Every structure is written in structure tokens, then in C-alpha cells.
Amino acid sequence: FAYFAQHAFHHIESHLNKTPNEYIRWRYANQGEDKESLVKVSMQFSDEELKLQKTPFEIQFTGEDGKVKKIKKVVSELVGGRKTNKSKEYEYEVKYAGSTVDSGEYLPLKTLKK
């Protein structure tokens, strides 16, 4: 027997044609992400949040010539995350809008919240 909280069943009526095994495989098929948790109201973005996501932010880096350069980019997707050992803060690997590959660049949570 398995225990499922009652609130876990509110979407089940749309999956009555699936066996329990098929339902669980469908629900977690996206690299282990829970498909039903993604449609919760708390996981939906407001118009204001969508607008903020499209706002470019400034990144500073030192070029090969030793000069500090500034560019503006828009984060299109969070690809991964990690917790830094020293400060115990989270950093997230980002993919920038218009980029076809992951940059491998990690940004701290503080920067992403701005």
C-alpha cells in the first residue's frame, strides 16, 4: 500500500483512463519534475512577473584586454542550480535569450531577484 495525501487527488479525474503506473510515469516523465505541481496557481506568473523576466540586466566582466566591460542580457531559462560551499547561498545556471547553448554561467539568487 502507498500513502497519498487527499489533496494529491484533485487532478486525478482527468486521468481515469490510465493505470496507477502509467499515471505516475506520466506525472514525473519530465526529468523528474512533477507536471501537476507546475500548474498550481502559485506556480503561474503574473503579467508583472512576466514583464520583469523580459527586462535586461547588466552583467560586468573583465575582458581579455583587462578592461571591465558591461553588457545587458535577458535570462530565458534556469538550467540548473547549486549551493555554494562557503556562503551556503544558491546559484543558478542560466541560459540567455537568443543563445543556442548553455553559457555555463552561474548567477547568485540575489542577482536573479533584482
Side-chain angles (χ1 to χ4, degrees):
F1 291 97
Y3 169 77
F4 286 98
Q6 287 185 339
H7 69 275
F9 290 110
H10 69 280
H11 290 111
I12 205 94
E13 56 272 353
S14 60
H15 302 282
L16 294 175
N17 61 338
K18 294 182 174 92
T19 66
N21 187 312
E22 290 171 333
Y23 171 72
I24 295 296
R25 287 189 331 216
W26 168 85
R27 185 169 173 172
Y28 296 100
N30 188 20
Q31 297 177 343
E33 289 285 332
D34 183 356
K35 289 181 184 179
E36 292 192 357
S37 71
L38 297 175
V39 296
K40 287 182 181 177
V41 174
S42 62
M43 294 294 287
Q44 304 300 314
F45 295 113
S46 68
D47 291 338
E48 183 178 322
E49 290 170 325
L50 289 172
K51 184 179 176 185
L52 277 173
Q53 287 178 356
K54 295 177 183 176
T55 305
F57 71 98
E58 192 173 84
I59 300 173
Q60 293 183 1
F61 65 96
T62 305
E64 292 178 8
D65 57 1
K67 294 183 179 179
V68 175
K69 298 182 180 190
K70 298 178 183 180
I71 57 171
K72 291 193 175 202
K73 291 189 174 188
V74 175
V75 174
S76 66
E77 186 177 347
L78 298 179
V79 181
R82 67 182 181 190
K83 190 174 187 179
T84 58
N85 291 338
K86 294 178 184 175
S87 63
K88 296 186 179 180
E89 293 181 0
Y90 284 97
E91 294 180 329
Y92 293 91
E93 185 176 6
V94 297
K95 180 178 179 181
Y96 294 110
S99 175
T100 57
V101 294
D102 298 338
S103 66
E105 183 175 350
Y106 284 84
L107 296 177
L109 182 59
K110 292 177 190 176
T111 304
L112 292 168
K113 282 186 175 182
K114 289 181 186 178

